[in-house]
Amino acid sequence: MPESKAHILVTDDEKAIRNTLQEILEFEDYQVSTVESGQAAIDFVSENPIDLMFLDIKMQGMDGLETLQALREKGYEVPVIMISGHGTIEIAVEATKMGAYDFLEKPPDLNRLLIAVRNALSQKNLENENRQIRKKLPKIQEIIGESKAIEDIKTMIEKVAPTQSRVLITGENGTGKELVAKWIHEKSPRSSGAFVEVNCAAIPADLLESELFGHEKGAFTGASEQRIGKFEQADGGTLFLDEIGDMSLDAQAKVLRALQENKITRVGGNDSISVDVRILAATNKDLEEEIKAGEFREDLFHRISVIPIKVPALRERKEDIPLIAQACLQSLKKRDISFSSVSFSEDGLQALQQKEWSGNVRELQNAVERLGILATGDKITQETVDNILQTRDLSSEDLGKLADETEDFQDFKEMAERVFLMKQLDKHDWNISQTAEAIGIQRSHMYNKMKKYNIER
């Protein structure tokens, strides 16, 4: 028995052919619609769901191949069986290259026709099943940890993800705020929509409005064409405003208005554009302190922090460090065969657990990669950790020595700044972008300071 009431569209400019195919297919318990031209087929598909299409090659106006090409360009993936009374191998090959499922000559053999229909529908069902399976598979890495703090966050994600509530995720740099945001999106009804991320700290204030709301052609110097902003890109999905505490007050006012009205206006434009967006925001700053200092709008804070989630620092969940370290190493093994024989000893994991990790999970990930590369044997032991990850803390004694070496306050500040930058670069495995982000300065400033203090790896 064929699939119950699969919907088939017959497109042919010969009424007799349309009627014949309709009678055959309806007898086999399919739902059948007919149209007489390529444009009519495109219009029909745009308004009605169908499972399969018969498409005549030779038609008045837009022919079958042109119609097939137009369907594919518009993103319609419905299987298409081409039919023609003047079939040639060349035409069949061309149709197949353009995405046709099969090719039948007129008048079609009844058995051949029904087999082609069943096979095409079976393939469509299989593709749909695979699509659903892929949708259910997590596309993002797991939140690793068994500590109470992490279990509480996982429970909170399960509760808030199905809602439309806005969430403010707080925590230090490197704790995994973005990962929490991605899981909220993944487990939400919007998971089939886009997850669009904006790093508010990485975009200059004068460009942030255009980044968020888009701009019209000619809106400003360099705007040579229309640009769709992040709000529109996230329509039907989730917009993640990372480091929202670094957003200028002017941009905050415009974001607040967009959240109040669910509408945006492109820079240089006049039309209001409705958007359906869920906002998730993150910051490493204390926004309530920023409000007191006049750096953050209180009304926006209350808009974005309906549900607050605080991601703990790694030092607050040290019991998770061995799990995270081993997961990082497993990830490296999948990516690079040179890590395949490397593993941790128990005392090696304990040594990692005893460190402070002020750079949190990000710093630990970098450290595990460094240990895997530089370890002399297959085991990463306590000795390996101690030798490769030597601490370079700036103690009060070190500061005292610096103070003894100079009587000039400016010289002392510069010497201390150089030591601080060296320590931070080492912590982030000399990744300039990550280091600049962690200490809250622009990457260009980081390069300038490295040049000023003659800092090299």
Side-chain angles (χ1 to χ4, degrees):
M1 188 76 178
E3 288 80 355
S4 176
K5 294 297 180 183
H7 189 185
I8 300 175
L9 177 65
V10 176
T11 305
D12 198 303
D13 59 359
E14 294 183 54
K15 186 175 182 180
I17 295 293
R18 293 199 303 273
N19 291 342
T20 299
L21 289 176
Q22 184 171 12
E23 288 177 8
I24 293 171
L25 295 169
E26 286 182 343
F27 182 79
E28 294 293 321
D29 201 28
Y30 295 112
Q31 177 188 349
V32 182
S33 299
T34 64
V35 293
E36 60 183 12
S37 71
Q39 186 58 56
I42 294 171
D43 294 340
F44 187 92
V45 172
S46 68
E47 297 177 1
N48 303 276
I50 66 168
D51 300 295
L52 175 64
M53 179 189 294
F54 279 93
L55 184 57
D56 186 23
I57 287 183
K58 298 293 184 182
M59 292 186 294
Q60 295 286 334
M62 185 184 292
D63 68 24
L65 293 179
E66 290 171 336
T67 304
L68 176 60
Q69 183 176 2
L71 287 168
R72 294 300 183 245
E73 287 176 352
K74 291 179 180 292
Y76 298 119
E77 297 298 328
V78 58
V80 175
I81 297 175
M82 308 298 292
I83 50 177
S84 176
H86 312 281
T88 65
I89 293 177
E90 289 77 10
I91 292 176
V93 169
E94 186 177 357
T96 304
K97 284 181 178 179
M98 294 172 63
Y101 176 77
D102 206 344
F103 183 90
L104 301 178
E105 291 188 66
K106 294 180 184 178
D109 175 79
L110 180 60
N111 288 332
R112 171 90 170 80
L113 182 146
L114 294 178
I115 289 172
V117 169
R118 283 194 288 269
N119 288 345
L121 292 174
S122 294
Q123 178 174 302
K124 182 177 185 295
N125 291 336
L126 182 61
E127 288 174 352
N128 287 339
E129 288 174 10
N130 289 338
R131 198 174 293 116
Q132 291 300 319
I133 291 172
R134 286 196 299 271
K135 187 183 293 185
K136 292 176 183 177
L137 291 174
K139 311 177 193 67
I140 50 179
Q141 69 184 77
E142 183 184 356
I143 298 176
I144 300 168
E146 297 176 353
S147 62
K148 183 179 184 305
I150 289 301
E151 290 301 322
D152 287 347
I153 284 179
K154 291 178 180 178
T155 300
M156 182 69 81
I157 290 172
E158 294 290 341
K159 287 182 178 179
V160 305
T163 73
Q164 298 297 324
S165 298
R166 298 178 186 125
V167 182
L168 177 63
I169 307 163
T170 60
E172 297 177 6
N173 281 326
T175 51
K177 299 187 292 295
E178 179 185 352
L179 189 57
V180 172
K182 286 182 175 179
W183 272 112
I184 292 173
H185 172 76
E186 183 72 21
K187 291 178 175 290
S188 77
R190 294 173 175 264
S191 59
S192 59
F195 178 86
V196 178
E197 181 179 355
V198 181
N199 188 331
C200 302
I203 303 169
D206 56 340
L207 295 180
L208 185 58
E209 185 181 350
S210 171
E211 187 76 13
L212 291 172
F213 306 117
H215 62 250
E216 299 291 354
K217 182 178 179 180
F220 50 82
T221 303
S224 57
E225 58 185 21
Q226 184 190 73
R227 181 180 180 183
I228 302 300
K230 300 297 187 183
F231 266 87
E232 285 184 81
Q233 292 175 30
D235 189 34
T238 302
L239 179 62
F240 176 48
L241 299 176
D242 196 10
E243 301 302 348
I244 195 171
D246 292 282
M247 185 182 288
S248 70
L249 287 169
D250 186 48
Q252 289 176 36
K254 291 182 171 66
V255 168
L256 176 63
R257 182 178 177 183
L259 299 189
Q260 289 171 332
E261 300 178 357
N262 293 321
K263 293 180 179 179
I264 59 101
T265 302
R266 297 189 192 120
V267 177
N270 297 314
D271 297 333
S272 290
I273 301 167
S274 296
V275 287
D276 172 24
V277 173
R278 184 185 188 179
I279 297 292
L280 306 178
T283 182
N284 61 358
K285 295 184 175 181
D286 184 337
L287 291 188
E288 291 181 329
E289 289 298 319
E290 294 292 303
I291 291 169
K292 292 177 184 177
E295 297 295 328
F296 201 84
R297 294 181 63 110
E298 185 174 7
D299 45 6
L300 179 59
F301 172 75
H302 292 304
R303 285 274 177 181
I304 63 173
S305 61
V306 177
I307 306 290
I309 296 179
K310 185 179 186 303
V311 184
L314 202 51
R315 62 181 174 275
E316 297 170 6
R317 56 180 185 112
K318 286 195 169 187
E319 62 267 43
D320 291 334
I321 290 175
L323 290 173
I324 297 170
Q326 288 175 313
C328 290
L329 187 58
Q330 287 302 315
S331 178
L332 289 168
K333 288 180 179 182
K334 292 177 183 177
R335 192 181 77 194
D336 190 335
I337 194 171
S338 62
F339 291 93
S340 58
S341 62
V342 181
S343 62
F344 282 104
S345 67
E346 282 300 318
D347 65 345
L349 290 172
Q350 290 172 6
L352 291 178
Q353 202 168 3
Q354 291 166 7
K355 291 187 170 295
E356 285 303 310
W357 304 112
S358 57
N360 294 297
V361 176
R362 187 182 297 144
E363 182 187 3
L364 177 57
Q365 290 172 332
N366 290 339
V368 170
E369 184 169 358
R370 194 184 323 161
L371 290 166
I373 293 170
L374 300 180
T376 54
D378 290 341
K379 284 285 184 184
I380 300 174
T381 64
Q382 178 180 352
E383 183 180 2
T384 311
V385 173
D386 291 342
N387 288 339
I388 295 175
L389 304 182
Q390 294 178 11
T391 58
R392 297 169 66 177
D393 294 331
L394 187 61
S395 65
S396 58
E397 183 180 347
D398 295 323
L399 287 170
K401 289 179 181 178
L402 284 178
D404 290 338
E405 292 175 10
T406 180
E407 295 182 357
D408 183 85
F409 181 52
Q410 184 62 33
D411 287 347
F412 171 77
K413 285 199 301 182
E414 291 183 356
M415 291 165 67
E417 186 174 36
R418 186 181 192 279
V419 174
F420 172 77
L421 293 174
M422 291 284 289
K423 172 179 165 49
Q424 293 297 322
L425 283 163
D426 187 61
K427 181 187 299 182
H428 295 282
D429 199 26
W430 287 77
N431 184 308
I432 309 298
S433 297
Q434 286 185 7
T435 305
E437 181 182 352
I439 65 177
I441 67 173
Q442 293 183 11
R443 185 173 59 176
S444 59
H445 292 172
M446 189 71 194
Y447 281 115
N448 290 338
K449 288 183 181 295
M450 291 175 68
K451 184 177 181 180
K452 175 181 178 181
Y453 299 129
N454 195 27
I455 296 175
E456 295 180 359
R457 188 164 190 174

